[in-house]
Structures are given as C-alpha cells and as structure tokens.
Amino acid sequence: VWCAINSFNAGELSPKLEGRTDVSQYSKGCRKLENFLVTPYGAVERRSGTEFLAAAYKQQSNIRLERFVFSSEIAYLMEFGDTYVRFFWRNQPIYALKTPYTGDELLQLQFVQSADVMTIVHPAHPVMELRRTKEDIFVLTAKEFRYPPMLDPNLDDDFTIKPTGTLTKGGTVTLTASKDCFTADNVGGYFQLVQTRKQNEISIDFTKNGVSSTLEVFGYWTFTTHGTWSGVLTIQRSYDKGTTWNDYRTYSSEKDSNTSTSGEEETEECLYRLKMTDYEASTTGTLKLCRCLLVNPDLVVTGVVKITAVASATQATGTVIRKLAEAEPTTEWNEGAWSARRGYPCTVAFFEERMFFGGTSYRPQTLWGSKPNSWDDFLLGDKDDDGLEFTLASDTVNTIRWLCQHDALVIGTLDSEWTLSASN
C-alpha cells in the first residue's frame, strides 16, 4: 500500500517501528533519509553541496571541521588535524596553530563559544581557550582560573601542608606536606589552603588628626565609634596594595555623635584604613577621643596555588593564584579537581550565565558550575551566585558525556539523561 507522506518531522525510523502503524510518528517518518535536511515545517530539502578549498594541512591525518562564528558577517572554518588547527576565512586558508590534540583524539573534542573566545575540552588535556585577537590571528592557551574547582577537603587531622615563600598573588611558594601527597601528574593542577588570619581588626583611639594602620578586608565587615569628639572620620580603601587611597565612607561628629555600621567588600586583597581630619582639640582640659573599631570577622583566608614542579611525594613548588594567609601548616586543604592525575572534564556548556563542566576520570558523574558571568570562578558557597557542584545520584557509574542548554541543562551519560534547573 502506497500513501503520500507530506511531513518528515519524525526523520528516520528504527526498523523496530516498521509494523507500528498505530504510532503517530509512523506517518511522518521513513526508513532512510540520506542527503536531505528536514525543515521545521515538515518538508525536506536537499542538503547543500561541498566545495574544494584546499588539501589537508597534514595529508596523513584524521580531520575534523568546526565553525568559529563571531557574528553573522564574520565566521571561520576550522580544520583540526594531528596537533594542529588551520583557519579558513572567505574560502582561503589564513592561519595555522599548534594544538595538543592528536588525530585520534579529535572526535572527543567539545566546544562552546562566547563572542571571540571558544572553550575546548578533552578528557586527556587541560581546558583550553581559543581567542581571536585580530581578524586573522588566533591564540590557543590553557584556561586560567581565578578559582578552580576543588575535590573534597582533607579529613585527616595529622595531614598538613605548609607554604613557604612569597604568599601574595603571583608569588612562588614551596608546599611541604606531612605525608605523601604529590605526584608528577599534579603539575598544572591546583591546591587550596584554608588558613586562619592572625589580624582581623583595626583598633585605634584618635586624639588628633592622623591615619591608622591598614587591614586587608574581604567579605562582611563592621565599624563602630565611641567617645566624645568633633572631626571628620573617613574609611579609605586601596586596590593597589596601598599606593593610592580613595575615600569610601565619611562620618562627621560634633561632640556626641557616633556611628555603628557594616558593609560587604567584594574585591579580594583590598586594604582599608581610617583617617581623622579637622579634629577639634579640647579647650577645657577634658580628655576627648574617638575610639574606633573596624572588624573583618571572617578570619578564614582561602588561598590557591598552581603546581609548577614536584620535587618529591611531600614537596611541590607552585605559583600563588589567590593570596595565602600565613607560612604555617594547615590541615584544611583541598586538591584541585582537574589535573593529569585526576583527569580533565570531557564536556562543557553554558547555562543561565554559568559555565558548566562535567565528567572526569576521577569524578565521572560530577558537574561543576561557575559563578554567573564569572566563568573562571568556581568558589563554592551558600549564596545564589556562588559556584555549584553536583554529583548524579545514579545506580550506575557512567561518565557524563554531553551537556545541552535548553529550558533546563540536559546532562547525558551512556545510559540516561538528567536535567538541572533552578528552583524557587
């Protein structure tokens, strides 16, 4: 029996459906649909033809073609081959770059793009960023993280790590562990050290004009004054380690006015100080003073070190990514989630202004999400805009293979699909 088919929205049907005339998709599909594309309206169109542009950059290599689309007017064709990528623009090869990906690894590459930056993942290599810096120039580098994803914290009270060296951002430190901790495969990965800061307040009595000592402030802070005084008191901030100071909040008093206030500092490594001006000295001989207390109650400093060399199982050298508090041993430390030792994510996607990564060899069913609009910061917390980490509660352990942005974030493994979405 022959019948007209005016819609192919069901695409190709499995042979198992050949006898299922009762299924609604039966009348909208076919056994084989080759060299045609199904339109949203149900009709099919012959697929576009191909054009020869150039011979492969490396003749004896597997090839994968991908698009790099900056806008509707500016788009490139990328030819990935054995340890290279070549770019075509306006049907002409313009540029080639060296990559870490062999020909046999090309099928496992996954990509997401935002404007002129493309993020590339592969389970055997660090996350990479491909940037278009000029019309015909591209740069491929390992992605740098302001705060990378971490594994679970150390729970052994006898297992410490001590940093020595330059503890500020960009400094070089040596990490010494009390037990075997490091391997050569930790190079390129991260370690987090959580330490308690020794100083968390500025306490000063002003009896004349002057400036207090400085305090590094991050997060919640409180400020109070007491006493009988007249003058102008200013909280100042510096974002360049004390080179320049800007007035932040100013308080004026005439004899009996004091203040009790608080705030939230969102910029790391910011310095605060107090400055008194126009102080009016006593004319009666009565002691006048302004007693000030600025407190940053969060004593905990979360430092991050990127490992650059491993000397032994108990000693490694690294670069400080986030400032460390003290050159003292701490039992509160975490190993980075991604490294040659723990594997790298095999999939990536954007969802609700976050960048999500999933599926490493060590944590195959874990999903990591960045802070919104801050795709290099995966710091976890209890706020709505903190980083996220989820592990699929599955009966079987199958690596997360793909992510798809839709109404929810769709998470795919070899045997099932999951969804992640926000809730009220």
Side-chain angles (χ1 to χ4, degrees):
V1 177
W2 295 87
C3 62
I5 299 178
N6 54 21
S7 174
F8 289 88
N9 282 345
E12 289 189 357
L13 301 180
S14 166
K16 296 180 180 180
L17 291 176
E18 287 188 358
R20 294 299 306 275
T21 57
D22 59 314
V23 178
S24 60
Q25 285 84 359
Y26 185 86
S27 61
K28 300 178 182 179
C30 56
R31 286 178 178 173
K32 189 173 185 179
L33 190 66
E34 189 173 88
N35 289 328
F36 285 91
L37 301 175
V38 181
T39 70
Y41 314 103
V44 293
E45 297 177 347
R46 190 183 298 275
R47 71 161 176 82
S48 303
T50 58
E51 179 182 356
F52 178 79
L53 298 182
Y57 189 71
K58 290 185 179 181
Q59 297 294 314
Q60 306 299 321
S61 172
N62 294 329
I63 299 297
R64 177 170 175 176
L65 301 180
E66 292 290 337
R67 297 185 302 167
F68 188 103
V69 180
F70 177 73
S71 67
S72 58
E73 293 81 23
I74 303 176
Y76 303 82
L77 174 68
M78 299 185 296
E79 171 200 338
F80 281 89
D82 186 23
T83 67
Y84 79 90
V85 56
R86 181 167 60 161
F87 300 88
F88 288 77
W89 189 39
R90 296 175 179 172
N91 295 337
Q92 296 294 325
I94 59 168
Y95 196 67
L97 279 177
K98 184 177 177 61
T99 76
Y101 313 116
T102 65
D104 293 335
E105 295 175 331
L106 299 182
L107 289 180
Q108 290 181 280
L109 295 180
Q110 294 194 30
F111 313 82
V112 293
Q113 185 179 348
S114 175
D116 52 6
V117 180
M118 175 177 281
T119 303
I120 308 174
V121 296
H122 187 282
H125 298 281
V127 178
M128 305 294 287
E129 283 189 339
L130 179 64
R131 293 180 177 269
R132 188 185 78 116
T133 58
K134 294 183 180 179
E135 192 174 74
D136 57 349
I137 300 294
F138 290 79
V139 177
L140 182 67
T141 58
K143 181 176 177 63
E144 296 293 333
F145 292 93
R146 180 183 176 190
Y147 188 91
M150 294 290 165
L151 295 177
D152 296 334
N154 166 58
L155 298 178
D156 184 349
D157 292 338
D158 296 324
F159 198 166
T160 65
I161 294 180
K162 177 183 178 180
T164 53
T166 304
L167 307 183
T168 55
K169 184 176 180 180
T172 298
V173 295
T174 298
L175 301 182
T176 303
S178 60
K179 300 180 181 180
D180 289 353
C181 182
F182 308 108
T183 73
D185 286 338
N186 281 122
V187 173
Y190 298 85
F191 272 80
Q192 168 187 288
L193 276 65
V194 181
Q195 298 172 297
T196 300
R197 194 172 53 177
K198 291 181 179 179
Q199 180 189 9
N200 77 322
E201 66 179 40
I202 296 175
S203 179
I204 185 173
D205 291 346
F206 282 111
T207 58
K208 60 181 179 180
N209 291 339
V211 178
S212 72
S213 60
T214 63
L215 175 68
E216 183 178 331
V217 175
F218 181 63
Y220 178 75
W221 56 265
T222 62
F223 176 63
T224 56
T225 65
H226 299 278
T228 302
W229 56 282
S230 298
V232 178
L233 182 61
T234 304
I235 301 177
Q236 294 185 315
R237 295 189 298 189
S238 174
Y239 294 110
D240 56 8
K241 300 181 180 180
T243 302
T244 58
W245 291 89
N246 301 308
D247 292 348
Y248 176 37
R249 296 189 183 183
T250 300
Y251 308 92
S252 298
S253 172
E254 293 185 3
K255 298 183 180 179
D256 60 355
S257 177
N258 281 290
T259 185
S260 177
T261 187
S262 62
E264 187 89 13
E265 177 56 55
E266 298 180 352
T267 303
E268 297 179 48
E269 299 189 31
C270 178
L271 296 179
Y272 278 43
R273 73 179 185 183
L274 307 176
K275 182 178 181 180
M276 176 66 77
T277 57
D278 297 334
Y279 190 87
E280 182 181 316
S282 174
T283 58
T284 63
T286 303
L287 178 63
K288 297 177 62 177
L289 65 84
C290 176
R291 177 159 292 169
C292 303
L293 181 63
L294 175 67
V295 181
N296 185 201
D298 186 3
L299 289 172
V300 174
V301 175
T302 303
V304 177
V305 176
K306 184 175 184 180
I307 304 300
T308 56
V310 173
S312 68
T314 59
Q315 192 171 85
T317 303
T319 301
V320 177
I321 305 301
R322 284 169 56 104
K323 180 181 178 180
L324 301 168
E326 305 288 344
E328 299 292 338
T330 177
T331 59
E332 297 184 62
W333 57 267
N334 308 60
E335 183 183 347
W338 307 339
S339 63
R341 180 181 183 182
R342 304 302 183 185
Y344 298 98
C346 61
T347 186
V348 59
F350 290 119
F351 180 64
E352 295 186 345
E353 302 302 326
R354 299 176 187 265
M355 180 176 281
F356 282 89
F357 294 91
T360 66
S361 57
Y362 188 70
R363 298 285 294 273
Q365 294 188 297
T366 297
L367 188 71
W368 294 272
S370 72
K371 293 186 176 183
N373 296 310
S374 185
W375 301 331
D376 60 352
D377 192 342
F378 289 76
L379 180 61
L380 302 179
D382 55 7
K383 298 180 181 178
D384 291 343
D385 60 352
D386 284 330
L388 305 174
E389 180 182 322
F390 299 99
T391 298
L392 302 181
S394 173
D395 293 336
T396 59
V397 180
N398 287 306
T399 302
I400 296 174
R401 296 295 185 185
W402 54 266
L403 300 172
C404 180
Q405 176 180 340
H406 206 263
D407 295 336
L409 181 65
V410 185
I411 307 163
T413 68
L414 289 179
D415 68 347
S416 59
E417 292 80 39
W418 303 68
T419 59
L420 174 68
S421 60
S423 61
N424 295 326

